[in-house]
């Protein structure tokens, strides 16, 4: 599935739309160059899930956790700055996985074999004056969820 977002606001609106009716324990890999829209998408997605505070980019902390309703969490990871995927073990990701409503992982290619498998891969690329966003479902539940949206 491919969507074109003409600007920053359109990227946010896409994330808000997708955050509605999110399947439980959704793991989303976010791919794209610096400035392609990954963090913008993640911030809007987490806030649309019900988190009312500021959503920081985890570029330096690698991991940010946001409490949601019903004792659920939104986990946002940014692996851009890791030098070795084994560094992920120190993040204690297992402590959050069972309560994660959604886990959004930027630069997942840097953490292969140390992060949970994705339900959806999202690819951001600059296109004309906006962004092209491509989605790849990795299982049938994710496929059904994506197909329920009209873009």
């Amino acid at each position: 599935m491919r969507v074109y977002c003409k600007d920053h606001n359109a990227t946010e609106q896409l994330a808000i739309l997708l955050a509605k009716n999110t399947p439980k324990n959704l793991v989303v890999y976010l791919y794209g160059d610096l400035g392609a829209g990954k963090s913008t998408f993640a911030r809007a997605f987490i806030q649309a899930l019900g988190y009312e505070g500021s959503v920081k980019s985890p570029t330096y902390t690698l991991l940010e956790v946001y409490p949601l309703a019903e004792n659920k969490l939104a986990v946002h990871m940014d692996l851009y700055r890791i030098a070795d995927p084994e560094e992920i073990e120190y993040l204690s990701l297992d402590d959050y996985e069972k309560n994660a409503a959604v886990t959004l992982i930027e630069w997942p290619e840097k953490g292969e074999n140390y992060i949970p498998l994705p339900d959806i891969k999202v690819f951001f690329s600059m296109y004309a004056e906006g962004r092209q966003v491509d989605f790849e479902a990795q299982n049938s539940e994710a496929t059904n969820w994506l197909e329920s949206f009209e873009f």
Side-chain angles (χ1 to χ4, degrees):
M1 179 184 317
R2 176 172 287 163
V3 178
Y4 176 73
C5 295
K6 66 180 181 172
D7 57 24
H8 178 85
N9 291 337
T11 303
E12 289 177 338
Q13 291 304 310
L14 175 62
I16 291 166
L17 174 67
L18 290 170
K20 296 179 181 185
N21 302 314
T22 301
K24 293 182 181 183
N25 303 319
L26 181 71
V27 177
V28 180
Y29 284 8
L30 303 171
Y31 296 91
D33 292 335
L34 290 170
K38 298 179 302 295
S39 293
T40 297
F41 181 90
R43 273 190 208 97
F45 198 100
I46 291 167
Q47 288 177 325
L49 290 173
Y51 183 74
E52 296 179 8
S54 175
V55 176
K56 302 181 295 184
S57 174
T59 299
Y60 293 101
T61 59
L62 301 181
L63 174 78
E64 293 290 338
V65 179
Y66 301 95
L68 304 173
E70 300 176 17
N71 294 322
K72 289 294 185 184
L73 302 171
V75 177
H76 183 196
M77 297 176 67
D78 185 332
L79 305 180
Y80 180 73
R81 297 203 182 281
I82 67 166
D84 187 319
E86 289 183 6
E87 293 176 42
I88 296 169
E89 290 181 13
Y90 299 108
L91 297 176
S92 301
L93 195 55
D94 293 342
D95 294 346
Y96 306 113
E97 273 189 87
K98 64 182 175 209
N99 290 324
V102 65
T103 301
L104 301 161
I105 304 174
E106 297 183 46
W107 301 96
E109 61 274 22
K110 293 187 165 232
E112 289 179 5
N113 302 320
Y114 290 89
I115 55 179
L117 295 173
D119 295 299
I120 296 173
K121 292 180 179 181
V122 184
F123 300 87
F124 295 85
S125 56
M126 304 306 281
Y127 182 78
E129 295 188 17
R131 292 170 178 81
Q132 179 175 295
V133 185
D134 291 294
F135 297 90
E136 285 183 13
Q138 302 298 299
N139 56 51
S140 60
E141 183 180 6
T143 298
N144 293 338
W145 178 65
L146 283 174
E147 288 177 350
S148 71
F149 294 97
E150 292 183 25
F151 298 105

